[in-house]
Every structure is written in structure tokens, then in C-alpha cells.
Amino acid sequence: MEMVLHHFKKIIYKINVAAIKVFNKILLNKDIFKLRLYLYFRSSNLLQDSYKNILIICGHGAGDYLLASSAIMALNNKFRDSSVTVIFTRKEALELAKVNDLHKRHNLIFSRDVNLITEKQDIAIILSGSSPEVINILSFLQPKAMIGFIFSFKIFSSIKNISDTKDYLFENHIQRNDQIIHLLGGSPTGNIEFANSSLQSNKKNIIGNFLPITKTLKALNTEQIFEVVDRQIKSGQYLYVYHLVFKDEYLTNKDFYEHLKNQIADDSFKIKVFSNWIELIDLIVSCKKIYCIDSVAYHIANGLNIDNLCIFGPTNAKNYMPTNSVGQTINLNESEIHCYYGTGHKKCICTKNNQRNDLQCGYMLKLNIEDHYS
């Protein structure tokens, strides 16, 4: 009978997923969504000192996942004897988590495989940035209680003695997730928590650039990238200048990268193509310093205590800097409202004033490379 019921729930989950795709605007209406949440969790218990089974939902990309690592570490420390399952709705975040020692005791699952979870979950913790798919995960697993961010930047809690009415929209993303764990009695550090026991630090006098041009709004344009590399080589500070590029990006933009290599025409300049996270991490730990835009490389460098310089344009450094930040940041947009805020889902507010044909954020055009190398 239990197997039949589980199979039935699996079918309902698939129907719900299909319905969200077809009736997106209707089903994702915030008021309807909140009503469904209150119906599911209207009679939850009080906060407990321990939970047998804990569910964490990370519904965001690799960089945002690392911004949640402080909260996950604090959860590990608070509930040491609990069984923890972490669900990811994006594959790149799941693959990065697999090489992070933070999850040695965890069960890591992609959202499409949620039917593999058969244990009743005592509490679900929804970290910032979760996708609409979260409602189907909750519907399918029906945890006894839940707390976290869903469709807004106020913490929703079904636990009777937890209440937090603050809006965390413009808060530091790490501190936003940490607040959930504070409410559960944990003590987050605000750090990027990343470690891999197989890594061997072999730092050389190398600067590594992580400047993907496919991250369109945050990217430097091709002229700026050339100027950065040219300035790094002429400074004479580094034995090598590595340009770190995902394989897919390299193949998509091969003409640009070949042209860049020919333009620079210096033996100290190396384009380093990597295929997976562990290859990127190996490259990062070989560098003395990382030069990057707001991206996963910035968070990994901070987690591994590697010096870095990060350029922020559509986003603001104060919203992404961890407590253990070891580098420098350049904020090109210091206004109150930034092109990206919340979880980065907002459109660039200055693109319409950008006369260029590409979609680069207008604030990135303000970068004066000579200034920050002088």
C-alpha cells in the first residue's frame, strides 16, 4: 500500500510540474501561492532542538549556492546528528556541491529526482533564490514544517514560535540565508565555506582572469578585456597571466579567444580551458591572485583564501562580500538601486540608455583600468 501511495504522489508531482509550465502566470500568482503554503503548513509544531530529517532546497545557480554555504555549515554544526538532504534545481550548483567537503554527510539530489526521497522530512529550509519549482517539491514531500524565502524576501515560517517580518531584499545575500539559521538557533559565520581535501595548494606568481563574455550584463567588453590583459603583462608583476574559460564558452566564442591570443602575442599569456568545477578550482589554487567580474570565481577564491580583485557593475559588492573576503572590490554603481538586486533576477535598468549594440550593463563601461592598476 505504501508503494502504491508513493507512486501516486510521484504522478501528482509530475502533473504539478507540467501544470506550472503550462499555467505559469496563474499558478505562480503570489497570493495563490501563499494560500497554498498556509494550507499545507497551517498546524506545524514549535521549534525543536533536534530534527531527524532535514531538507534544504537550493533553487539557484552555483554562485548563489556558495552564498548559502555559511548557512549550511551552521546547520551542520547545530544539528550534528540529523540526516540532511539538499535538493538543487540547477545542475551546475549540484555539481559544485559534489566537490565541496561541506556536504560529506549530506544526500545531494537534483530536483527531478525528488521521488527518490522516501523518508518523511521533519523540516524544509528554503534558501534565498528558490525557483517556482519549490512548491511542487514541498507538495510532493510534505515536510512537517518549513522556513525560508519563497517568492519574496521576507522569511515565511510555519513554525509557531518563529516570526520575522523584515524584508531582506537589499540585504547581503549571505546574511539573508544566515538569518534563517539564526532563527533556528544556529551561529553562522558569514563566510564562504568551501574546501576539498584532494586539492593541493601550489601557488605560483600567476594572475588568473575569470571574465566570461557570455555573462552579458556583468561582462567586460572585448576592448576592456584586451586592455586588462595587456596591462597585466606590461606591469611585470606576474610570471604568467592565465585566462580561465569554460570549455563551452571557449567553443562558442573561439574566434574571440583566438583573436585575443594573437593580439596579446606574448608567451606569458595562457588561455586555460576547463571542463568541470574541479579543473577550474585546480587552476584557481595555482594562482597568486584572481581578477574577475561578479561570478562564481569570486566566491571560490574567497572560500579558498586566495587574493582577488572583483569588478561590480550591475550588482553591488556589499550584497555579496563574505566575512572572510580576502581581496578587493571595485563598485562601478554606487546608487541606492542597482541593476541586479534580490537574487539577480532583475533586468538591467541602464541598458535602455546604453547606445551599444550589445547588452553590457552601462555601469561596466565606467571601468578605468589604468586607475586600478596605478
Side-chain angles (χ1 to χ4, degrees):
M1 181 65 185
E2 187 175 337
M3 288 298 295
V4 173
L5 180 60
H6 181 72
H7 182 67
F8 177 72
K9 287 172 67 181
K10 183 178 176 181
I11 293 172
I12 295 299
Y13 173 76
K14 289 182 177 179
I15 291 173
N16 244 349
V17 171
I20 274 201
K21 290 179 180 178
V22 177
F23 303 111
N24 191 48
K25 291 184 180 179
I26 299 174
L27 291 181
L28 300 189
N29 177 279
K30 289 184 180 180
D31 293 332
I32 295 175
F33 182 84
K34 288 177 182 177
L35 175 62
R36 293 174 74 186
L37 277 182
Y38 281 109
L39 289 175
Y40 286 134
F41 299 105
R42 61 184 178 276
S43 58
S44 295
N45 296 324
L46 297 175
L47 177 63
Q48 300 177 25
D49 291 329
S50 64
Y51 294 97
K52 180 182 177 183
N53 296 308
I54 295 176
L55 179 72
I56 300 172
I57 301 179
C58 284
H60 35 52
D64 289 317
Y65 149 68
L66 288 176
L67 295 175
S69 60
S70 169
I72 296 171
M73 175 65 87
L75 192 75
N76 283 351
N77 294 333
K78 171 67 177 175
F79 303 106
R80 294 179 183 275
D81 298 325
S82 300
S83 173
V84 177
T85 298
V86 188
I87 296 178
F88 297 86
T89 60
R90 288 175 60 174
K91 266 286 178 67
E92 71 268 22
L94 171 61
E95 294 305 316
L96 182 56
K98 286 179 179 178
V99 299
N100 190 350
D101 290 348
L102 173 65
H103 300 287
K104 279 189 172 180
R105 297 190 299 109
H106 296 170
N107 182 26
L108 306 181
I109 290 196
F110 190 46
S111 56
R112 291 179 186 173
D113 301 319
V114 70
N115 58 290
L116 298 176
I117 302 172
T118 56
E119 291 280 337
K120 186 69 174 178
Q121 301 299 307
D122 296 302
I123 185 171
I125 298 169
I126 321 301
L127 297 176
S128 176
S130 290
S131 68
E133 193 176 353
V134 66
I135 187 60
N136 292 301
I137 295 170
L138 295 172
S139 302
F140 180 71
L141 295 176
Q142 295 185 20
K144 295 176 184 178
M146 72 142 290
I147 183 171
F149 295 98
I150 308 175
F151 280 146
S152 94
F153 297 98
K154 291 183 178 181
I155 295 176
F156 175 93
S157 173
S158 69
I159 302 169
K160 292 179 180 178
N161 55 334
I162 286 184
S163 177
D164 187 330
T165 59
K166 181 177 176 179
D167 191 322
Y168 290 88
L169 178 59
F170 295 105
E171 291 293 312
N172 179 286
H173 291 205
I174 301 170
Q175 293 173 12
R176 182 193 296 160
N177 285 312
D178 283 355
Q179 179 60 16
I180 300 172
I181 311 305
H182 278 301
L183 293 172
L184 294 174
S187 302
T189 62
N191 293 339
I192 297 293
E193 301 289 353
F194 188 88
N196 186 295
S197 55
S198 66
L199 291 176
Q200 294 185 352
S201 180
N202 188 25
K203 288 185 184 178
K204 299 175 183 176
N205 192 21
I206 296 169
I207 187 167
N209 296 323
F210 188 81
L211 303 169
I213 59 176
T214 50
K215 290 181 74 74
T216 315
L217 289 180
K218 298 179 181 181
L220 300 184
N221 61 46
T222 55
E223 293 88 351
Q224 289 172 314
I225 292 173
F226 171 80
E227 190 177 350
V228 165
V229 174
D230 185 58
R231 187 69 181 83
Q232 289 168 341
I233 291 172
K234 288 178 179 177
S235 72
Q237 291 179 266
Y238 305 102
L239 182 63
Y240 291 106
V241 174
Y242 284 179
H243 209 74
L244 314 180
V245 187
F246 267 115
K247 183 178 180 180
D248 287 348
E249 162 145 344
Y250 178 78
L251 293 176
T252 303
N253 302 282
K254 191 172 181 179
D255 288 346
F256 163 69
Y257 287 110
E258 289 298 314
H259 180 63
L260 178 64
K261 183 169 66 175
N262 293 332
Q263 262 191 311
I264 298 299
D266 192 289
D267 291 340
S268 66
F269 179 62
K270 310 288 183 184
I271 293 179
K272 296 288 186 176
V273 179
F274 58 92
S275 301
N276 53 52
W277 289 119
I278 203 67
E279 289 180 4
L280 171 61
I281 293 162
D282 279 337
L283 287 167
I284 288 176
V285 298
S286 72
C287 295
K288 181 180 179 181
K289 187 169 187 172
I290 298 297
Y291 183 103
C292 58
I293 57 172
D294 173 20
S295 61
V296 68
Y298 171 64
H299 307 309
I300 291 174
N302 280 317
L304 294 173
N305 197 36
I306 293 172
D307 188 19
N308 58 80
L309 190 153
C310 186
I311 311 300
F312 287 84
T315 50
N316 189 309
K318 71 179 181 64
N319 291 333
Y320 299 89
M321 286 179 65
T323 303
N324 61 341
S325 175
V326 293
Q328 297 172 292
T329 59
I330 294 177
N331 254 344
L332 299 172
N333 175 2
E334 296 184 355
S335 64
E336 287 298 315
I337 302 295
H338 305 280
C339 299
Y340 277 15
Y341 53 93
T343 53
H345 63 279
K346 300 296 180 183
K347 297 292 185 183
C348 180
I349 58 177
C350 64
T351 303
K352 62 184 179 182
N353 299 319
N354 185 353
Q355 299 303 310
R356 300 177 62 86
N357 293 324
D358 56 35
L359 295 176
Q360 182 189 28
C361 173
Y363 285 105
M364 297 302 285
L365 296 173
K366 295 182 177 181
L367 180 65
N368 187 321
I369 293 157
E370 282 300 321
D371 279 354
H372 70 256
Y373 266 104
S374 59

